[in-house]
């Protein structure tokens, strides 16, 4: 397909159609008539040799090609706007942009409540799509233009992926008080003797704690491996399991009398919790605005003294 055969305005219409999945709503969004949108949709179907929008019963769904086009198309249009200087005066209250962000349920618990509040107050027409993936999967989607931003722990990043530290996190152990020795101290011997609960999105049994133990010629036994941070604390209950997790996972958690939190009996270094994005978005005002809010809402409130 030759680029000269495409009216770039069609890409704007395509982006709106893939978002709205409705000709009339697309027309309202772009301030164009329904016949004009229908005409553009027909041209796009011919150019791309694909139906794009498919009616299934009472709803309209995207074709496979349309689904694959949606995220890269938004990224391209954002770059074009920045190139032409049209997004210099980004006004959150007037924006209809859709941001796709990847994070674990741990990140979601920290970021989303306050972020969504700010979006609804300042930019009610901006849409937020949140997905979950492994670290590698998040980076791949960043590079492919499928997502705008990822939040998590990324020890290694490609050269074209930028990062910003949101906060520094430490580890805490959660266990049943009855699983402690009579001394009430969680020493390393006890830690290694007890079975462990591990949070791993991809099922990998080697986390940061295991890397530290291996460097010392030691190993713990992971008895349960789960993919979600949010469910892990509730699984300790009356068991002999030890859960070693990021400290903020346990914020505002009602532990009760049976559970106790203690520092790990080994030196596990703090880690940076970051947001990452592709360098193509560095100068995009809307993207910078989103990144700034993610950073603000991630900051831990100062303790009241």
């Amino acid at each position: 397909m030759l680029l000269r055969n495409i009216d770039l305005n069609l890409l704007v219409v395509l982006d709106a159609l893939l978002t709205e999945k409705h000709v009339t709503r697309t027309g309202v969004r772009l301030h164009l008539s329904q016949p004009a949108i229908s005409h553009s949709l027909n041209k796009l179907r011919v150019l791309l040799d694909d139906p794009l929008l498919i009616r299934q019963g009472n709803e309209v769904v995207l074709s496979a090609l349309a689904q694959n086009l949606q995220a890269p198309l938004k990224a391209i249009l954002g770059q074009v706007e920045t190139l032409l200087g049209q997004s210099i005066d980004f006004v959150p209250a007037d924006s209809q942009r859709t941001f796709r962000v990847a994070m674990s349920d741990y990140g979601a618990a920290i970021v989303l409540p306050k972020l969504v509040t700010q979006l609804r107050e300042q930019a009610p027409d901006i849409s937020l799509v949140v997905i979950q993936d492994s670290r590698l999967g998040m980076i791949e989607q960043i590079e492919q233009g499928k997502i705008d931003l990822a939040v998590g722990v990324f020890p290694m990043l490609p050269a074209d992926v930028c990062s910003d530290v949101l906060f520094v996190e430490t580890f805490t152990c959660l266990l049943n008080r009855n699983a402690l020795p009579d001394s009430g101290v969680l020493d390393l011997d006890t830690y290694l003797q007890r079975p462990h609960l591990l949070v791993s999105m991809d099922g990998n049994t080697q986390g940061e704690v295991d890397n530290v133990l291996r460097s010392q010629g030691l190993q713990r036994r992971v008895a349960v491996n789960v993919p979600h941070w949010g469910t892990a604390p509730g699984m300790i209950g009356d068991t002999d399991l030890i859960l070693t997790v990021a400290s903020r996972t346990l914020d505002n958690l009602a532990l009760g009398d049976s559970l106790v939190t203690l520092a790990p009996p080994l030196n596990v270094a703090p880690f940076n919790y970051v947001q990452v994005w592709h360098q193509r978005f560095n100068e995009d005002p809307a993207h910078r605005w989103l990144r700034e809010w993610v950073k603000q809402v991630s900051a831990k409130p100062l303790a009241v003294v």
Side-chain angles (χ1 to χ4, degrees):
M1 183 189 305
L2 295 176
L3 184 59
R4 65 171 178 265
N5 292 333
I6 302 177
D7 177 357
L8 293 183
N9 287 320
L10 283 176
L11 297 183
V12 177
V13 176
L14 177 60
D15 175 57
L17 279 167
L18 299 187
T19 300
E20 298 292 345
K21 303 177 189 175
H22 195 281
V23 170
T24 301
R25 288 200 299 268
T26 299
V28 172
R29 179 171 181 164
L30 299 179
H31 306 289
L32 296 172
S33 67
Q34 180 176 332
I37 299 299
S38 296
H39 178 68
S40 295
L41 175 58
N42 290 333
K43 289 181 67 175
L44 287 163
R45 283 171 166 166
V46 172
L47 284 169
L48 299 173
D49 191 23
D50 187 88
L52 299 175
L53 302 180
I54 304 170
R55 180 166 294 280
Q56 289 186 356
N58 295 325
E59 64 177 354
V60 174
V61 299
L62 301 182
S63 70
L65 175 63
Q67 293 178 46
N68 291 333
L69 287 175
Q70 197 168 22
L73 178 60
K74 288 187 179 295
I76 289 169
L77 290 176
Q79 293 177 59
V80 170
E81 286 184 352
T82 301
L83 176 66
L84 299 179
Q86 295 177 7
S87 60
I88 298 300
D89 298 323
F90 168 68
V91 180
D94 297 335
S95 178
Q96 296 181 334
R97 186 154 172 175
T98 296
F99 288 110
R100 293 179 61 85
V101 182
M103 62 184 72
S104 68
D105 60 328
Y106 164 73
I110 292 172
V111 174
L112 289 185
K114 292 181 181 179
L115 180 62
V116 169
T117 297
Q118 293 301 326
L119 288 178
R120 298 309 305 153
E121 289 180 356
Q122 298 194 28
D125 291 328
I126 281 182
S127 299
L128 182 67
V129 179
V130 180
I131 68 167
Q132 187 171 7
D133 205 340
S134 65
R135 291 178 186 174
L136 179 59
M138 290 182 190
I139 296 303
E140 287 179 346
Q141 293 202 59
I142 286 284
E143 293 200 291
Q144 294 168 3
K146 293 182 178 180
I147 58 176
D148 298 285
L149 196 68
V151 178
V153 181
F154 303 96
M156 301 290 291
L157 291 173
D160 56 353
V161 175
C162 306
S163 67
D164 183 28
V165 176
L166 299 176
F167 56 87
V168 178
E169 179 64 295
T170 59
F171 285 98
T172 298
C173 292
L174 177 70
L175 66 158
N176 189 296
R177 194 180 301 275
N178 294 328
L180 285 170
D182 293 339
S183 65
V185 176
L186 179 63
D187 56 28
L188 185 56
D189 287 341
T190 302
Y191 186 83
L192 296 176
Q193 290 169 7
R194 298 285 191 239
H196 290 257
L197 172 62
L198 174 67
V199 180
S200 172
M201 290 180 60
D202 57 8
N204 188 351
T205 59
Q206 296 297 308
E208 285 82 357
V209 172
D210 301 282
N211 293 335
V212 173
L213 289 172
R214 188 168 57 251
S215 70
Q216 301 175 21
L218 302 173
Q219 184 177 4
R220 63 176 177 167
R221 185 175 77 83
V222 175
V224 182
N225 193 328
V226 298
H228 304 299
W229 294 85
T231 59
M235 298 173 67
I236 298 299
D238 296 324
T239 74
D240 57 350
L241 294 169
I242 296 177
L243 173 64
T244 307
V245 289
S247 298
R248 288 183 70 169
T249 304
L250 307 178
D251 282 357
N252 304 316
L253 183 67
L255 297 180
D257 295 332
S258 64
L259 296 180
V260 61
T261 59
L262 297 168
L266 67 161
N267 185 20
V268 186
F271 60 92
N272 291 335
Y273 199 76
V274 304
Q275 57 179 334
V276 300
W277 65 94
H278 197 278
Q279 63 184 11
R280 70 173 70 94
F281 291 120
N282 275 348
E283 303 306 320
D284 181 342
H287 203 279
R288 289 203 307 266
W289 176 84
L290 176 67
R291 298 195 308 262
E292 181 57 33
W293 270 114
V294 169
K295 187 161 189 173
Q296 287 192 40
V297 302
S298 301
K300 194 165 186 177
L302 296 175
V304 178
V305 294

